[in-house]
Amino acid sequence: MVINIIFTLLGFLLMELAGWAIHKYLMHGILWKIHKTHHKPSRSFLESNDVFSLVFGGVSILLMWLGHGNFDFRFWIGIGISIYGFSYFVLHDLLIHKRVKGMKMPKNSILRGIYKAHQAHHSHNKKNGAVAFGLFLVPFKYFKTDKS
Ligand SMILES: [Zn+2]
Ligand SMILES: [Zn+2]
């Protein structure tokens, strides 16, 4: 049903928006102690910051579990958050940060913009003054082609 697709897309979108706010106001705020493990110049294979993925994954599983009886909106929002988590992992962890050796960023202009925005986020690796906290929704300027 179309409504299920809408709830799934909504789950994806809500996760990007919530993720943006959590990243900006909590991870670069009171939770910096955990998040800074992702901003160290040399990161270990597993970072304390990975705990956030477990929390968001838990929220998605909880929603799917709550809504699975009659497959109501909670189930589909949970599915959307799962798809978000998977896309985030592939894009952010595998392609951008190359946590698995040999992964390369494809030369697609949208992915390039996302990559540049996230590079900008990591450019000074400090608690305050960082930019581009979202992953998929980033300022348009990063998508402009650079002529250099
Ligand atoms: Zn950050
Ligand atoms: Zn990152």
Side-chain angles (χ1 to χ4, degrees):
M1 265 204 316
V2 178
I3 190 76
N4 297 336
I5 297 172
I6 293 173
F7 281 131
T8 303
L9 292 174
L10 193 68
F12 190 99
L13 184 69
L14 283 176
M15 196 54 235
E16 169 72 3
L17 297 177
W20 174 86
I22 291 167
H23 188 188
K24 186 174 164 93
Y25 297 108
L26 295 178
M27 292 157 93
H28 282 255
I30 191 170
L31 300 177
W32 175 246
K33 240 186 149 67
I34 302 171
H35 184 55
K36 74 174 178 198
T37 58
H38 181 61
H39 278 282
K40 278 194 298 191
S42 61
R43 290 186 293 267
S44 42
F45 184 68
L46 283 175
E47 321 163 336
S48 305
N49 185 63
D50 292 332
V51 78
F52 291 114
S53 312
L54 297 178
V55 172
F56 297 138
V59 169
S60 127
I61 290 168
L62 181 69
L63 281 168
M64 287 191 280
W65 182 72
L66 288 173
H68 85 283
N70 43 1
F71 296 108
D72 64 23
F73 69 98
R74 293 171 297 188
F75 178 81
W76 296 105
I77 289 177
I79 291 281
I81 295 175
S82 288
I83 296 173
Y84 180 89
F86 182 73
S87 321
Y88 192 98
F89 176 74
V90 171
L91 195 56
H92 175 261
D93 295 273
L94 297 184
L95 299 180
I96 296 178
H97 289 300
K98 305 178 182 68
R99 290 178 79 169
V100 170
K101 279 202 167 56
M103 300 295 293
K104 256 200 240 134
M105 202 65 198
K107 283 193 177 62
N108 166 292
S109 61
I110 291 175
L111 292 181
R112 232 191 105 66
I114 288 173
Y115 180 75
K116 280 197 322 203
H118 199 68
Q119 293 285 84
H121 179 69
H122 277 279
S123 63
H124 71 162
N125 285 328
K126 293 210 178 69
K127 181 180 176 185
N128 298 310
V131 294
F133 292 92
L135 187 71
F136 295 93
L137 299 176
V138 295
F140 187 69
K141 63 177 179 187
Y142 296 110
F143 294 106
K144 288 189 190 134
T145 46
D146 44 340
K147 284 165 188 100
S148 56

